[in-house]
Amino acid sequence: MYKKVLFNFLALFLCCLAYAQTYEIQYTSSYNGKVLTEQSPTLVWADGKENFILNNTIREQKSSYPFEITKVEKPSNTIVSYAFLKPGEIISSSDAESIGKQTFELTHETKKILGYHCKKAVTKINSNTIEVWYTNDLKMDGGPSVIGQNLGFVLEIERNKNSLITATSIKKVKKTDIENILKGSIQSTDLPGYKDLLWKSRFTTLKVFENETINFSEESKSTESIKKFANGTIILRKIKFPAISEGENIFAEVKQQSNGDAYDRTGTVFFIPQDKISSFFDGLEKGAKTLPVYDNGNGKQYYGVTATENYSPAIEMMRFFTAFGIQKFNHIQLKGKDWQTVSPYRQDITELKPALSEKELWVGAFIGNYDKGGHKVSLDITIHKSDQTVYKNNTVIPLFNTLNIMEMAGQDYSTMFNKDKGLFVEFILKKDLKNAQLRYITTGHGGWENGDEFVPKANSILLDGKMTFSFVPWRSDCGSYRLYNPASGNFPDGLSSSDLSRSNWCPGTVTNPNFIPLGDLKAGQHTIQVKIPQGAPEGTSFSSWNVSGVLLGSQ
């Protein structure tokens, strides 16, 4: 009896001793045999009861936000994730199932790592082949990731024979620094909420509009934060943009649903430059006819569409087209059609950075409609840290925007292309402009079957009187978006209206800008001319072209 008690006591003592022993393991990452020196070495603290996975930069409390620490509790193999979103803001979430669901093919291959006898196991994750080398010599489970935590102690992981993380040192320590890092208030959340908050903390979000109505109604009134014009078809909000560095990307994201309007409509997101005496905002407040007029000789006058010495037109961030009745008309049932509930439009607008960084600007959205219910719209602008430098311009010069944003306040359609002059803009460069580009957005509209919406037409760009670029803007993929268009008309030939090819747009899509190279431009006076063979009116129907142009380059 005495021997049995002594044996049990010794077993408990040895077990507690094993739990009390803490190891510190350092791992180095490499790719295709080259050590990733810019990547902080992974660090694992393990004592048999729990493993902490972090890196040396976090240990030294020099890591930039956000960053994560992972804890694996033993023997339950519960993963506790901690995300440090910003100073003083930590969230956590736990997962008791993932490790238990891991499956491995155990092989007979062995090798020594840092003197420890290791075995190899193989698994597949998202079509990636993962080879795990683990040892049982340490008498505890752990590793540099959650993979293989139920095998032994993982000393090496190789993915697809090219990405490797391997242990470079193992030592016993009396204590860790975890209590100096993982301290303060921690907010618990579920796993989807944790991932969402962590993802959103990686970039800056400027919320412009949230489920805002764009409609046509005398009841549409401005609020303290949001201004409405043209009977509610235009909404604006003043936004303060932070300093945006060269290596950051900017995206505009719109989410739109029908709130009563069943038709496909032209939409635009724009901002109003404040670089000259007069701006587009003056026209919104005082009327379109207070803006500079463009006259192409056809007897009509087009207000606020071209830049002058004292006026800059609105700069178009994104052009989008609403689908036929998405969400509001999803009750229309067709066999095999499960309608989408929201139209998402997301576009990279990084090239406009010089006109946004550290500016306070009116940002607006317009959807042309005459419906009291209209549309529901949300708009976010997000700023992302990145190593990409696709857009290196430091200059943004607005030249023209013929989209009649004030249509419901009397601004005429852009029918100026029915004369050979087309659209003609003069501008003066104060400095030489290197690697100049014209950011050009174009869409054709109207005229029913024989109008320019459904007939391919060449767009020609002339710089200083010389032909520079000509192309036919056309979209033939509109049928891909049928599930966004529940209220689309259906024809006897088996097609739907939303299927039809159009002049550079489809119901439920964004129209991408064209970047037209103009070379290096000298300081002084220049001209840009846009020519389009606009179709003639047919009865009460007519054709028009919405074109916007911004000059990009480096001064």
Side-chain angles (χ1 to χ4, degrees), residues 442-493:
T442 179
T443 50
H445 302 271
W448 298 98
E449 291 86 354
N450 297 315
D452 288 2
E453 181 173 324
F454 300 106
V455 177
K457 294 290 182 72
N459 284 221
S460 300
I461 311 296
L462 291 82
L463 172 65
D464 296 332
K466 296 181 180 179
M467 177 70 72
T468 298
F469 190 78
S470 184
F471 74 112
V472 177
W474 191 248
R475 288 286 292 267
S476 57
D477 61 331
C478 296
S480 302
Y481 305 95
R482 181 66 180 94
L483 294 181
Y484 291 85
N485 289 274
S488 175
N490 299 306
F491 304 131
D493 59 6

Side-chain angles (χ1 to χ4, degrees), residues 22 87 191 204 246 362 374 395 403 415 449 500 504 541:
T22 302
L191 191 57
T204 300
E246 182 178 346
W362 286 106
T395 303
L403 201 159
T415 56
E449 291 86 354
L500 300 178
N504 214 30
S541 66

Side-chain angles (χ1 to χ4, degrees), residues 293-535:
V293 64
Y294 174 72
D295 190 338
N296 78 331
N298 66 359
K300 291 187 176 183
Q301 293 182 317
Y302 304 93
Y303 293 94
V305 299
T306 57
T308 67
E309 183 180 356
N310 296 316
Y311 169 78
S312 289
I315 294 181
E316 189 168 32
M317 291 179 168
M318 172 200 290
R319 188 175 305 174
F320 64 94
F321 291 86
T322 70
F324 284 92
I326 187 168
Q327 179 60 21
K328 186 68 174 181
F329 294 85
N330 281 13
H331 60 273
I332 299 174
Q333 296 183 359
L334 292 178
K335 187 175 178 61
K337 304 294 184 187
D338 295 322
W339 307 120
Q340 298 290 325
T341 59
V342 62
S343 287
Y345 313 97
R346 183 168 168 83
Q347 184 175 325
D348 186 347
I349 59 168
T350 306
E351 69 277 4
L352 300 178
K353 182 188 308 178
L356 301 175
S357 181
E358 297 187 282
K359 302 285 198 318
E360 189 172 23
L361 300 165
W362 286 106
V363 177
F366 159 79
I367 296 176
N369 73 100
Y370 287 96
D371 188 88
K372 188 173 183 179
H375 303 261
K376 289 286 187 180
V377 169
S378 296
L379 169 62
D380 289 342
I381 296 173
T382 57
I383 303 168
H384 307 256
K385 294 180 181 178
S386 174
D387 295 329
Q388 293 185 348
T389 54
V390 175
Y391 304 106
K392 298 181 180 180
N393 60 295
N394 62 14
T395 303
V396 175
I397 302 173
L399 295 179
F400 55 86
N401 187 348
T402 72
L403 201 159
N404 53 330
I405 297 171
M406 287 187 278
E407 174 187 348
M408 286 70 190
Q411 190 179 20
D412 209 345
Y413 284 87
S414 49
T415 56
M416 69 280 292
F417 300 101
N418 62 353
K419 290 288 185 179
D420 185 61
K421 182 180 178 181
L423 183 70
F424 186 85
V425 184
E426 295 179 318
F427 61 97
I428 297 175
L429 292 178
K430 296 180 180 179
K431 297 180 180 179
D432 292 352
L433 191 65
K434 295 182 179 180
N435 300 316
Q437 289 182 307
L438 180 67
R439 181 186 189 264
Y440 179 70
I441 303 176
T442 179
T443 50
H445 302 271
W448 298 98
E449 291 86 354
N450 297 315
D452 288 2
E453 181 173 324
F454 300 106
V455 177
K457 294 290 182 72
N459 284 221
S460 300
I461 311 296
L462 291 82
L463 172 65
D464 296 332
K466 296 181 180 179
M467 177 70 72
T468 298
F469 190 78
S470 184
F471 74 112
V472 177
W474 191 248
R475 288 286 292 267
S476 57
D477 61 331
C478 296
S480 302
Y481 305 95
R482 181 66 180 94
L483 294 181
Y484 291 85
N485 289 274
S488 175
N490 299 306
F491 304 131
D493 59 6
L495 292 176
S496 300
S497 179
S498 61
D499 294 334
L500 300 178
S501 299
R502 289 172 167 83
S503 289
N504 214 30
W505 63 276
C506 300
T509 67
V510 168
T511 293
N512 294 322
N514 294 90
F515 293 89
I516 300 171
L518 302 178
D520 295 339
L521 301 182
K522 292 293 185 181
Q525 184 166 314
H526 297 273
T527 62
I528 286 281
Q529 188 174 15
V530 181
K531 291 188 174 186
I532 305 169
Q534 179 181 300

Side-chain angles (χ1 to χ4, degrees), residues 263-280:
Y263 287 94
D264 53 336
R265 305 292 190 183
T266 303
T268 183
V269 175
F270 61 93
F271 67 91
I272 301 175
Q274 302 292 315
D275 58 335
K276 295 182 180 178
I277 296 172
S278 177
S279 76
F280 189 74

